[in-house]
Short mmCIF file of all heavy atoms in Angstrom, two decimals:
data_model
loop_
_atom_site.label_atom_id
_atom_site.label_comp_id
_atom_site.label_asym_id
_atom_site.label_seq_id
_atom_site.Cartn_x
_atom_site.Cartn_y
_atom_site.Cartn_z
N MET A 925 0.86 -1.17 0.00
CA MET A 925 0.00 0.00 0.00
C MET A 925 0.90 1.24 0.00
O MET A 925 1.89 1.30 0.73
CB MET A 925 -0.91 0.00 1.22
CG MET A 925 -1.80 1.19 1.29
SD MET A 925 -2.85 1.16 2.72
CE MET A 925 -4.34 0.56 1.97
N HIS A 926 0.54 2.20 -0.83
CA HIS A 926 1.28 3.45 -0.91
C HIS A 926 0.38 4.60 -0.50
O HIS A 926 -0.80 4.60 -0.80
CB HIS A 926 1.76 3.71 -2.35
CG HIS A 926 2.74 2.69 -2.83
ND1 HIS A 926 4.08 2.73 -2.49
CD2 HIS A 926 2.58 1.61 -3.62
CE1 HIS A 926 4.69 1.72 -3.06
NE2 HIS A 926 3.79 1.01 -3.76
N LYS A 927 0.96 5.57 0.18
CA LYS A 927 0.23 6.78 0.55
C LYS A 927 0.73 7.93 -0.32
O LYS A 927 1.93 8.10 -0.50
CB LYS A 927 0.43 7.10 2.01
CG LYS A 927 -0.23 6.10 2.93
CD LYS A 927 -0.17 6.55 4.34
CE LYS A 927 -0.88 5.53 5.21
NZ LYS A 927 -1.04 5.99 6.57
N PHE A 928 -0.23 8.69 -0.84
CA PHE A 928 0.10 9.85 -1.67
C PHE A 928 -0.52 11.08 -1.03
O PHE A 928 -1.64 11.01 -0.50
CB PHE A 928 -0.45 9.67 -3.09
CG PHE A 928 0.18 8.53 -3.83
CD1 PHE A 928 -0.43 7.29 -3.88
CD2 PHE A 928 1.40 8.70 -4.45
CE1 PHE A 928 0.15 6.24 -4.55
CE2 PHE A 928 2.00 7.65 -5.12
CZ PHE A 928 1.37 6.42 -5.18
N PRO A 929 0.18 12.21 -1.11
CA PRO A 929 -0.40 13.44 -0.54
C PRO A 929 -1.60 13.89 -1.37
O PRO A 929 -1.72 13.56 -2.55
CB PRO A 929 0.74 14.45 -0.64
CG PRO A 929 1.62 13.94 -1.72
CD PRO A 929 1.49 12.44 -1.68
N ILE A 930 -2.47 14.64 -0.74
CA ILE A 930 -3.64 15.17 -1.42
C ILE A 930 -3.19 16.21 -2.44
O ILE A 930 -2.38 17.07 -2.14
CB ILE A 930 -4.63 15.78 -0.42
CG1 ILE A 930 -5.20 14.69 0.49
CG2 ILE A 930 -5.75 16.54 -1.13
CD1 ILE A 930 -6.10 15.20 1.58
N ASN A 931 -3.70 16.13 -3.65
CA ASN A 931 -3.36 17.08 -4.69
C ASN A 931 -4.18 18.35 -4.55
O ASN A 931 -5.31 18.33 -4.06
CB ASN A 931 -3.64 16.49 -6.07
CG ASN A 931 -2.73 15.34 -6.39
OD1 ASN A 931 -1.59 15.32 -5.94
ND2 ASN A 931 -3.21 14.39 -7.16
N THR A 932 -3.60 19.46 -4.97
CA THR A 932 -4.32 20.72 -5.03
C THR A 932 -4.19 21.29 -6.44
O THR A 932 -3.30 20.91 -7.20
CB THR A 932 -3.78 21.74 -4.02
OG1 THR A 932 -2.41 22.02 -4.33
CG2 THR A 932 -3.88 21.22 -2.59
N VAL A 933 -5.09 22.20 -6.76
CA VAL A 933 -5.08 22.85 -8.06
C VAL A 933 -5.03 24.36 -7.84
O VAL A 933 -5.79 24.89 -7.04
CB VAL A 933 -6.35 22.50 -8.88
CG1 VAL A 933 -6.39 23.27 -10.18
CG2 VAL A 933 -6.42 21.01 -9.12
N SER A 934 -4.10 25.03 -8.53
CA SER A 934 -4.01 26.48 -8.49
C SER A 934 -4.21 27.01 -9.91
O SER A 934 -3.57 26.54 -10.84
CB SER A 934 -2.65 26.93 -7.97
OG SER A 934 -2.45 26.47 -6.66
N VAL A 935 -5.11 27.98 -10.05
CA VAL A 935 -5.45 28.51 -11.36
C VAL A 935 -5.24 30.01 -11.37
O VAL A 935 -5.65 30.71 -10.43
CB VAL A 935 -6.93 28.19 -11.72
CG1 VAL A 935 -7.31 28.79 -13.06
CG2 VAL A 935 -7.17 26.69 -11.70
N GLY A 936 -4.60 30.51 -12.42
CA GLY A 936 -4.43 31.94 -12.61
C GLY A 936 -5.29 32.41 -13.77
O GLY A 936 -5.28 31.81 -14.83
N ILE A 937 -6.05 33.48 -13.56
CA ILE A 937 -6.97 33.97 -14.57
C ILE A 937 -6.66 35.43 -14.87
O ILE A 937 -6.49 36.24 -13.96
CB ILE A 937 -8.43 33.85 -14.09
CG1 ILE A 937 -8.75 32.40 -13.73
CG2 ILE A 937 -9.40 34.39 -15.14
CD1 ILE A 937 -10.03 32.22 -12.96
N THR A 938 -6.59 35.77 -16.14
CA THR A 938 -6.41 37.15 -16.56
C THR A 938 -7.42 37.48 -17.65
O THR A 938 -7.85 36.59 -18.38
CB THR A 938 -4.97 37.41 -17.04
OG1 THR A 938 -4.78 38.79 -17.24
CG2 THR A 938 -4.64 36.62 -18.27
N MET A 939 -7.82 38.76 -17.70
CA MET A 939 -8.82 39.19 -18.69
C MET A 939 -8.37 40.51 -19.31
O MET A 939 -7.55 41.22 -18.73
CB MET A 939 -10.17 39.38 -18.00
CG MET A 939 -10.71 38.13 -17.35
SD MET A 939 -12.23 38.45 -16.45
CE MET A 939 -11.60 39.28 -15.00
N ASN A 940 -8.94 40.83 -20.45
CA ASN A 940 -8.60 42.10 -21.08
C ASN A 940 -9.72 43.13 -20.93
O ASN A 940 -9.84 44.04 -21.74
CB ASN A 940 -8.26 41.87 -22.56
CG ASN A 940 -9.43 41.36 -23.36
OD1 ASN A 940 -10.44 40.98 -22.79
ND2 ASN A 940 -9.29 41.36 -24.65
N THR A 941 -10.52 43.03 -19.90
CA THR A 941 -11.62 43.97 -19.71
C THR A 941 -11.16 45.27 -19.07
O THR A 941 -11.74 46.32 -19.33
CB THR A 941 -12.73 43.34 -18.86
OG1 THR A 941 -12.19 42.88 -17.63
CG2 THR A 941 -13.39 42.20 -19.60
N LEU A 942 -10.14 45.25 -18.22
CA LEU A 942 -9.68 46.45 -17.54
C LEU A 942 -8.42 47.04 -18.14
O LEU A 942 -8.04 48.15 -17.79
CB LEU A 942 -9.44 46.13 -16.05
CG LEU A 942 -10.66 45.66 -15.28
CD1 LEU A 942 -10.30 45.31 -13.85
CD2 LEU A 942 -11.74 46.73 -15.30
N ARG A 943 -7.78 46.31 -19.01
CA ARG A 943 -6.59 46.80 -19.70
C ARG A 943 -6.36 45.95 -20.93
O ARG A 943 -6.74 44.78 -20.98
CB ARG A 943 -5.36 46.75 -18.80
CG ARG A 943 -5.00 45.34 -18.42
CD ARG A 943 -3.72 45.30 -17.66
NE ARG A 943 -3.68 44.01 -16.99
CZ ARG A 943 -2.73 43.64 -16.23
NH1 ARG A 943 -1.74 44.42 -16.02
NH2 ARG A 943 -2.75 42.48 -15.66
N PRO A 944 -5.74 46.53 -21.93
CA PRO A 944 -5.51 45.75 -23.16
C PRO A 944 -4.40 44.72 -22.97
O PRO A 944 -3.43 44.95 -22.26
CB PRO A 944 -5.10 46.81 -24.18
CG PRO A 944 -4.55 47.93 -23.37
CD PRO A 944 -5.30 47.91 -22.06
N ILE A 945 -4.58 43.58 -23.59
CA ILE A 945 -3.54 42.56 -23.65
C ILE A 945 -3.19 42.42 -25.12
O ILE A 945 -4.03 42.07 -25.94
CB ILE A 945 -4.03 41.22 -23.05
CG1 ILE A 945 -4.34 41.42 -21.56
CG2 ILE A 945 -2.98 40.14 -23.25
CD1 ILE A 945 -4.90 40.19 -20.88
N GLU A 946 -1.94 42.72 -25.43
CA GLU A 946 -1.53 42.83 -26.83
C GLU A 946 -1.25 41.48 -27.50
O GLU A 946 -1.54 41.30 -28.67
CB GLU A 946 -0.28 43.72 -26.93
CG GLU A 946 -0.48 45.11 -26.37
CD GLU A 946 -1.50 45.94 -27.14
OE1 GLU A 946 -1.62 45.75 -28.36
OE2 GLU A 946 -2.21 46.74 -26.50
N THR A 947 -0.65 40.54 -26.77
CA THR A 947 -0.25 39.28 -27.38
C THR A 947 -0.63 38.11 -26.50
O THR A 947 -0.91 38.27 -25.31
CB THR A 947 1.28 39.22 -27.61
OG1 THR A 947 1.93 39.19 -26.33
CG2 THR A 947 1.77 40.41 -28.42
N HIS A 948 -0.61 36.92 -27.08
CA HIS A 948 -0.87 35.72 -26.27
C HIS A 948 0.27 35.48 -25.29
O HIS A 948 0.09 34.89 -24.24
CB HIS A 948 -1.09 34.51 -27.16
CG HIS A 948 0.09 34.10 -27.97
ND1 HIS A 948 0.50 34.77 -29.10
CD2 HIS A 948 0.96 33.08 -27.81
CE1 HIS A 948 1.56 34.19 -29.60
NE2 HIS A 948 1.86 33.16 -28.84
N TRP A 949 1.47 35.98 -25.60
CA TRP A 949 2.60 35.85 -24.66
C TRP A 949 2.34 36.66 -23.40
O TRP A 949 2.62 36.21 -22.28
CB TRP A 949 3.90 36.31 -25.31
CG TRP A 949 4.29 35.52 -26.51
CD1 TRP A 949 4.24 35.94 -27.82
CD2 TRP A 949 4.75 34.17 -26.54
NE1 TRP A 949 4.66 34.94 -28.65
CE2 TRP A 949 4.98 33.83 -27.89
CE3 TRP A 949 4.98 33.21 -25.56
CZ2 TRP A 949 5.43 32.58 -28.27
CZ3 TRP A 949 5.44 31.97 -25.94
CH2 TRP A 949 5.65 31.66 -27.28
N GLU A 950 1.81 37.87 -23.57
CA GLU A 950 1.48 38.71 -22.43
C GLU A 950 0.38 38.07 -21.58
O GLU A 950 0.45 38.06 -20.35
CB GLU A 950 1.05 40.10 -22.90
CG GLU A 950 0.77 41.06 -21.78
CD GLU A 950 0.34 42.43 -22.27
OE1 GLU A 950 0.15 42.61 -23.49
OE2 GLU A 950 0.18 43.32 -21.42
N ALA A 951 -0.64 37.50 -22.24
CA ALA A 951 -1.72 36.83 -21.52
C ALA A 951 -1.18 35.66 -20.71
O ALA A 951 -1.56 35.47 -19.54
CB ALA A 951 -2.80 36.36 -22.50
N ALA A 952 -0.28 34.88 -21.30
CA ALA A 952 0.30 33.73 -20.60
C ALA A 952 1.14 34.19 -19.42
O ALA A 952 1.11 33.58 -18.34
CB ALA A 952 1.14 32.91 -21.56
N GLU A 953 1.90 35.27 -19.59
CA GLU A 953 2.74 35.78 -18.50
C GLU A 953 1.88 36.26 -17.33
O GLU A 953 2.17 35.96 -16.16
CB GLU A 953 3.59 36.94 -19.02
CG GLU A 953 4.52 37.53 -17.99
CD GLU A 953 5.34 38.68 -18.54
OE1 GLU A 953 5.58 38.72 -19.76
OE2 GLU A 953 5.73 39.54 -17.74
N LEU A 954 0.80 36.98 -17.64
CA LEU A 954 -0.10 37.46 -16.59
C LEU A 954 -0.80 36.31 -15.88
O LEU A 954 -0.95 36.32 -14.65
CB LEU A 954 -1.12 38.43 -17.18
CG LEU A 954 -0.55 39.75 -17.69
CD1 LEU A 954 -1.61 40.52 -18.46
CD2 LEU A 954 0.01 40.57 -16.55
N ALA A 955 -1.24 35.30 -16.63
CA ALA A 955 -1.90 34.14 -16.02
C ALA A 955 -0.93 33.38 -15.12
O ALA A 955 -1.31 32.91 -14.05
CB ALA A 955 -2.47 33.23 -17.10
N ALA A 956 0.33 33.26 -15.55
CA ALA A 956 1.34 32.58 -14.73
C ALA A 956 1.59 33.36 -13.44
O ALA A 956 1.76 32.76 -12.37
CB ALA A 956 2.64 32.42 -15.51
N GLU A 957 1.59 34.69 -13.54
CA GLU A 957 1.76 35.52 -12.34
C GLU A 957 0.60 35.30 -11.37
O GLU A 957 0.80 35.17 -10.16
CB GLU A 957 1.83 36.98 -12.77
CG GLU A 957 2.12 37.94 -11.65
CD GLU A 957 2.16 39.38 -12.14
OE1 GLU A 957 2.36 39.62 -13.35
OE2 GLU A 957 2.00 40.27 -11.29
N MET A 958 -0.61 35.21 -11.91
CA MET A 958 -1.77 34.97 -11.07
C MET A 958 -1.74 33.58 -10.45
O MET A 958 -2.14 33.37 -9.32
CB MET A 958 -3.06 35.16 -11.87
CG MET A 958 -3.34 36.58 -12.27
SD MET A 958 -3.57 37.68 -10.87
CE MET A 958 -1.95 38.40 -10.71
N LYS A 959 -1.23 32.60 -11.21
CA LYS A 959 -1.13 31.24 -10.67
C LYS A 959 -0.17 31.22 -9.48
O LYS A 959 -0.46 30.58 -8.46
CB LYS A 959 -0.66 30.27 -11.75
CG LYS A 959 -0.61 28.83 -11.23
CD LYS A 959 -0.20 27.87 -12.31
CE LYS A 959 1.29 27.93 -12.48
NZ LYS A 959 1.84 26.86 -13.31
N GLN A 960 0.95 31.93 -9.59
CA GLN A 960 1.89 31.99 -8.48
C GLN A 960 1.24 32.65 -7.26
O GLN A 960 1.48 32.24 -6.12
CB GLN A 960 3.16 32.74 -8.88
CG GLN A 960 4.03 31.97 -9.85
CD GLN A 960 4.46 30.63 -9.29
OE1 GLN A 960 4.81 30.49 -8.13
NE2 GLN A 960 4.38 29.60 -10.12
N PHE A 961 0.41 33.66 -7.49
CA PHE A 961 -0.32 34.30 -6.40
C PHE A 961 -1.28 33.30 -5.76
O PHE A 961 -1.39 33.23 -4.54
CB PHE A 961 -1.08 35.51 -6.94
CG PHE A 961 -1.71 36.36 -5.87
CD1 PHE A 961 -0.96 37.28 -5.17
CD2 PHE A 961 -3.05 36.21 -5.56
CE1 PHE A 961 -1.54 38.06 -4.17
CE2 PHE A 961 -3.64 36.97 -4.57
CZ PHE A 961 -2.88 37.90 -3.88
N ALA A 962 -1.97 32.50 -6.58
CA ALA A 962 -2.91 31.50 -6.06
C ALA A 962 -2.19 30.41 -5.28
O ALA A 962 -2.74 29.85 -4.33
CB ALA A 962 -3.71 30.89 -7.20
N LYS A 963 -0.97 30.10 -5.67
CA LYS A 963 -0.21 29.04 -5.00
C LYS A 963 0.19 29.40 -3.58
O LYS A 963 0.65 28.55 -2.83
CB LYS A 963 1.04 28.69 -5.81
CG LYS A 963 0.75 27.82 -7.02
CD LYS A 963 2.05 27.49 -7.73
CE LYS A 963 1.84 26.46 -8.78
NZ LYS A 963 1.85 25.12 -8.25
N ARG A 964 -0.01 30.63 -3.18
CA ARG A 964 0.27 31.03 -1.79
C ARG A 964 -0.65 30.31 -0.80
O ARG A 964 -0.33 30.17 0.36
CB ARG A 964 0.11 32.53 -1.62
CG ARG A 964 1.15 33.33 -2.37
CD ARG A 964 0.92 34.81 -2.15
NE ARG A 964 1.84 35.61 -2.92
CZ ARG A 964 1.82 36.94 -2.93
NH1 ARG A 964 0.92 37.59 -2.22
NH2 ARG A 964 2.68 37.60 -3.66
N GLU A 965 -1.81 29.91 -1.30
CA GLU A 965 -2.77 29.19 -0.47
C GLU A 965 -2.36 27.72 -0.38
O GLU A 965 -1.94 27.14 -1.37
CB GLU A 965 -4.17 29.27 -1.08
CG GLU A 965 -4.78 30.64 -1.05
CD GLU A 965 -5.14 31.07 0.36
OE1 GLU A 965 -5.59 30.23 1.16
OE2 GLU A 965 -4.97 32.28 0.64
N PRO A 966 -2.48 27.10 0.78
CA PRO A 966 -2.11 25.69 0.91
C PRO A 966 -3.13 24.72 0.32
O PRO A 966 -2.88 23.54 0.22
CB PRO A 966 -2.00 25.50 2.42
CG PRO A 966 -2.90 26.53 3.00
CD PRO A 966 -2.85 27.70 2.05
N ARG A 967 -4.27 25.22 -0.09
CA ARG A 967 -5.32 24.37 -0.66
C ARG A 967 -5.57 24.78 -2.11
O ARG A 967 -4.97 25.71 -2.62
CB ARG A 967 -6.60 24.51 0.16
CG ARG A 967 -7.09 25.92 0.19
CD ARG A 967 -8.23 26.11 1.15
NE ARG A 967 -8.59 27.53 1.14
CZ ARG A 967 -9.78 27.97 1.30
NH1 ARG A 967 -10.78 27.14 1.52
NH2 ARG A 967 -10.03 29.26 1.29
N SER A 968 -6.48 24.12 -2.77
CA SER A 968 -6.86 24.49 -4.13
C SER A 968 -7.41 25.91 -4.13
O SER A 968 -8.19 26.28 -3.25
CB SER A 968 -7.91 23.53 -4.68
OG SER A 968 -7.36 22.25 -4.85
N SER A 969 -6.98 26.72 -5.11
CA SER A 969 -7.42 28.10 -5.14
C SER A 969 -7.27 28.68 -6.54
O SER A 969 -6.70 28.05 -7.42
CB SER A 969 -6.62 28.93 -4.14
OG SER A 969 -5.25 28.92 -4.48
N TYR A 970 -7.76 29.89 -6.70
CA TYR A 970 -7.62 30.61 -7.96
C TYR A 970 -7.35 32.07 -7.66
O TYR A 970 -7.64 32.56 -6.57
CB TYR A 970 -8.89 30.47 -8.82
CG TYR A 970 -10.12 31.05 -8.18
CD1 TYR A 970 -10.47 32.38 -8.39
CD2 TYR A 970 -10.93 30.27 -7.35
CE1 TYR A 970 -11.60 32.92 -7.79
CE2 TYR A 970 -12.07 30.80 -6.76
CZ TYR A 970 -12.39 32.12 -6.99
OH TYR A 970 -13.51 32.65 -6.39
N ALA A 971 -6.79 32.78 -8.63
CA ALA A 971 -6.57 34.21 -8.52
C ALA A 971 -6.95 34.86 -9.84
O ALA A 971 -6.55 34.38 -10.90
CB ALA A 971 -5.12 34.51 -8.18
N ILE A 972 -7.74 35.93 -9.76
CA ILE A 972 -8.18 36.65 -10.95
C ILE A 972 -7.52 38.02 -10.96
O ILE A 972 -7.61 38.77 -9.99
CB ILE A 972 -9.72 36.82 -10.95
CG1 ILE A 972 -10.40 35.46 -10.88
CG2 ILE A 972 -10.16 37.58 -12.19
CD1 ILE A 972 -11.90 35.55 -10.69
N ASP A 973 -6.87 38.34 -12.07
CA ASP A 973 -6.21 39.63 -12.21
C ASP A 973 -7.23 40.67 -12.62
O ASP A 973 -7.78 40.62 -13.72
CB ASP A 973 -5.11 39.52 -13.27
CG ASP A 973 -4.28 40.78 -13.36
OD1 ASP A 973 -4.49 41.72 -12.57
OD2 ASP A 973 -3.38 40.82 -14.23
N ARG A 974 -7.52 41.61 -11.74
CA ARG A 974 -8.46 42.69 -12.04
C ARG A 974 -7.74 44.04 -11.98
O ARG A 974 -8.38 45.08 -11.81
CB ARG A 974 -9.63 42.68 -11.06
CG ARG A 974 -10.47 41.42 -11.17
CD ARG A 974 -11.73 41.56 -10.34
NE ARG A 974 -12.45 40.32 -10.22
CZ ARG A 974 -13.29 39.85 -11.13
NH1 ARG A 974 -13.48 40.51 -12.23
NH2 ARG A 974 -13.91 38.72 -10.94
N ARG A 975 -6.41 44.01 -12.10
CA ARG A 975 -5.64 45.25 -12.05
C ARG A 975 -5.82 46.05 -13.33
O ARG A 975 -5.99 45.49 -14.40
CB ARG A 975 -4.15 44.95 -11.86
CG ARG A 975 -3.86 44.28 -10.51
CD ARG A 975 -2.44 43.87 -10.42
NE ARG A 975 -2.20 42.77 -11.37
CZ ARG A 975 -1.02 42.21 -11.54
NH1 ARG A 975 0.03 42.61 -10.86
NH2 ARG A 975 -0.87 41.22 -12.41
N THR A 976 -5.77 47.37 -13.18
CA THR A 976 -5.79 48.25 -14.34
C THR A 976 -4.36 48.44 -14.82
O THR A 976 -3.42 47.95 -14.20
CB THR A 976 -6.41 49.61 -13.97
OG1 THR A 976 -5.59 50.21 -12.97
CG2 THR A 976 -7.84 49.45 -13.47
N VAL A 977 -4.17 49.16 -15.88
CA VAL A 977 -2.83 49.41 -16.43
C VAL A 977 -1.94 50.06 -15.37
O VAL A 977 -0.82 49.63 -15.14
CB VAL A 977 -2.91 50.29 -17.70
CG1 VAL A 977 -1.52 50.68 -18.16
CG2 VAL A 977 -3.66 49.58 -18.79
N ALA A 978 -2.44 51.08 -14.69
CA ALA A 978 -1.65 51.80 -13.69
C ALA A 978 -1.27 50.90 -12.52
O ALA A 978 -0.14 50.93 -12.03
CB ALA A 978 -2.41 53.02 -13.19
N GLN A 979 -2.19 50.08 -12.04
CA GLN A 979 -1.90 49.18 -10.93
C GLN A 979 -0.86 48.15 -11.32
O GLN A 979 0.02 47.82 -10.54
CB GLN A 979 -3.16 48.47 -10.46
CG GLN A 979 -4.13 49.36 -9.73
CD GLN A 979 -5.42 48.63 -9.41
OE1 GLN A 979 -5.90 47.82 -10.19
NE2 GLN A 979 -5.99 48.93 -8.27
N HIS A 980 -0.93 47.63 -12.54
CA HIS A 980 0.03 46.62 -12.99
C HIS A 980 1.43 47.22 -13.09
O HIS A 980 2.40 46.60 -12.70
CB HIS A 980 -0.39 46.04 -14.33
CG HIS A 980 0.57 45.01 -14.83
ND1 HIS A 980 0.71 43.79 -14.22
CD2 HIS A 980 1.46 45.02 -15.86
CE1 HIS A 980 1.64 43.08 -14.86
NE2 HIS A 980 2.10 43.82 -15.86
N GLU A 981 1.54 48.44 -13.59
CA GLU A 981 2.84 49.09 -13.72
C GLU A 981 3.47 49.34 -12.36
O GLU A 981 4.67 49.30 -12.21
CB GLU A 981 2.69 50.38 -14.51
CG GLU A 981 2.40 50.15 -15.98
CD GLU A 981 2.08 51.41 -16.74
OE1 GLU A 981 1.98 52.49 -16.09
OE2 GLU A 981 1.93 51.33 -17.96
N ARG A 982 2.65 49.61 -11.34
CA ARG A 982 3.17 49.82 -9.99
C ARG A 982 3.44 48.51 -9.26
O ARG A 982 4.05 48.49 -8.22
CB ARG A 982 2.16 50.63 -9.16
CG ARG A 982 2.06 52.07 -9.55
CD ARG A 982 1.29 52.87 -8.50
NE ARG A 982 0.10 52.19 -8.02
CZ ARG A 982 -1.13 52.45 -8.43
NH1 ARG A 982 -1.35 53.34 -9.35
NH2 ARG A 982 -2.16 51.80 -7.91
N GLY A 983 2.92 47.40 -9.79
CA GLY A 983 3.08 46.11 -9.13
C GLY A 983 2.12 45.93 -7.96
O GLY A 983 2.36 45.13 -7.07
N ALA A 984 1.04 46.68 -7.98
CA ALA A 984 0.07 46.63 -6.88
C ALA A 984 -0.72 45.33 -6.93
O ALA A 984 -1.04 44.82 -7.99
CB ALA A 984 -0.89 47.82 -6.98
N GLU A 985 -1.02 44.80 -5.74
CA GLU A 985 -1.83 43.59 -5.64
C GLU A 985 -3.27 43.91 -5.31
O GLU A 985 -4.06 43.03 -5.07
CB GLU A 985 -1.25 42.65 -4.58
CG GLU A 985 0.08 42.06 -4.96
CD GLU A 985 0.60 41.06 -3.93
OE1 GLU A 985 -0.02 40.92 -2.87
OE2 GLU A 985 1.62 40.45 -4.20
N GLY A 986 -3.63 45.19 -5.30
CA GLY A 986 -4.97 45.59 -4.91
C GLY A 986 -6.06 45.12 -5.84
O GLY A 986 -7.20 45.03 -5.45
N GLY A 987 -5.75 44.82 -7.08
CA GLY A 987 -6.77 44.42 -8.03
C GLY A 987 -6.82 42.93 -8.27
O GLY A 987 -7.28 42.49 -9.30
N ILE A 988 -6.34 42.16 -7.33
CA ILE A 988 -6.31 40.71 -7.49
C ILE A 988 -7.36 40.09 -6.58
O ILE A 988 -7.38 40.34 -5.39
CB ILE A 988 -4.92 40.13 -7.16
CG1 ILE A 988 -3.88 40.72 -8.11
CG2 ILE A 988 -4.94 38.62 -7.22
CD1 ILE A 988 -2.47 40.35 -7.76
N ASP A 989 -8.25 39.33 -7.17
CA ASP A 989 -9.23 38.57 -6.39
C ASP A 989 -8.72 37.15 -6.26
O ASP A 989 -8.24 36.57 -7.22
CB ASP A 989 -10.58 38.52 -7.10
CG ASP A 989 -11.25 39.88 -7.13
OD1 ASP A 989 -10.87 40.74 -6.32
OD2 ASP A 989 -12.15 40.07 -7.96
N SER A 990 -8.81 36.61 -5.07
CA SER A 990 -8.42 35.21 -4.93
C SER A 990 -9.52 34.49 -4.17
O SER A 990 -10.24 35.07 -3.38
CB SER A 990 -7.10 35.08 -4.19
OG SER A 990 -7.17 35.64 -2.90
N GLY A 991 -9.62 33.24 -4.45
CA GLY A 991 -10.64 32.44 -3.80
C GLY A 991 -10.14 31.04 -3.63
O GLY A 991 -9.24 30.60 -4.33
N GLY A 992 -10.70 30.36 -2.70
CA GLY A 992 -10.31 28.99 -2.47
C GLY A 992 -11.42 28.06 -2.81
O GLY A 992 -12.59 28.40 -2.68
N GLY A 993 -11.05 26.93 -3.26
CA GLY A 993 -12.01 25.88 -3.50
C GLY A 993 -11.91 24.87 -2.38
O GLY A 993 -11.21 25.09 -1.41
N SER A 994 -12.55 23.79 -2.53
CA SER A 994 -12.42 22.75 -1.52
C SER A 994 -11.14 21.98 -1.78
O SER A 994 -10.74 21.79 -2.91
CB SER A 994 -13.62 21.81 -1.57
OG SER A 994 -13.71 21.22 -2.85
N SER A 995 -10.48 21.60 -0.73
CA SER A 995 -9.27 20.82 -0.92
C SER A 995 -9.66 19.38 -1.24
O SER A 995 -10.72 18.90 -0.88
CB SER A 995 -8.41 20.87 0.34
OG SER A 995 -9.11 20.34 1.44
N GLY A 996 -8.80 18.75 -1.97
CA GLY A 996 -9.09 17.38 -2.38
C GLY A 996 -8.48 17.12 -3.72
O GLY A 996 -7.81 17.96 -4.30
N THR A 997 -8.69 15.94 -4.23
CA THR A 997 -8.11 15.60 -5.52
C THR A 997 -9.03 16.08 -6.63
O THR A 997 -10.24 16.11 -6.49
CB THR A 997 -7.92 14.08 -5.64
OG1 THR A 997 -9.18 13.45 -5.44
CG2 THR A 997 -6.91 13.57 -4.65
N SER A 998 -8.43 16.46 -7.74
CA SER A 998 -9.20 16.89 -8.91
C SER A 998 -8.58 16.29 -10.14
O SER A 998 -7.44 16.13 -10.27
CB SER A 998 -9.17 18.41 -9.03
OG SER A 998 -9.84 18.97 -7.93
#
């Protein structure tokens, strides 16, 4: 018998509603940044980037929504 730790899922979400996203590379970079923010939680979670252009340039975290899901395997 083998024991495995419980898996978690972290998701980063970015949108172009509050600021323009010029390329798919930029979208991927922003989503990866949000995923790293979501990974701060010890359980399954997500982070949504709601920063405006000015907030992103300052590196502000004020426009980031994060939420947790239920822990467990997915």
Side-chain angles (χ1 to χ4, degrees):
M925 179 180 261
H926 296 280
K927 291 188 178 189
F928 295 97
I930 294 176
N931 293 329
T932 62
V933 175
S934 299
V935 177
I937 303 167
T938 188
M939 300 175 285
N940 64 349
T941 55
L942 299 177
R943 64 174 163 181
I945 297 176
E946 302 296 327
T947 67
H948 65 284
W949 298 108
E950 183 180 6
E953 182 180 333
L954 293 170
E957 185 180 339
M958 291 298 97
K959 183 178 80 168
Q960 289 301 319
F961 189 81
K963 283 182 170 277
R964 293 180 184 178
E965 292 290 323
R967 59 188 178 147
S968 293
S969 62
Y970 62 90
I972 302 172
D973 187 4
R974 296 189 190 277
R975 295 174 292 178
T976 62
V977 173
Q979 289 174 323
H980 180 69
E981 289 173 355
R982 288 193 317 260
E985 291 184 354
I988 299 173
D989 291 341
S990 60
S994 60
S995 60
T997 57
S998 294

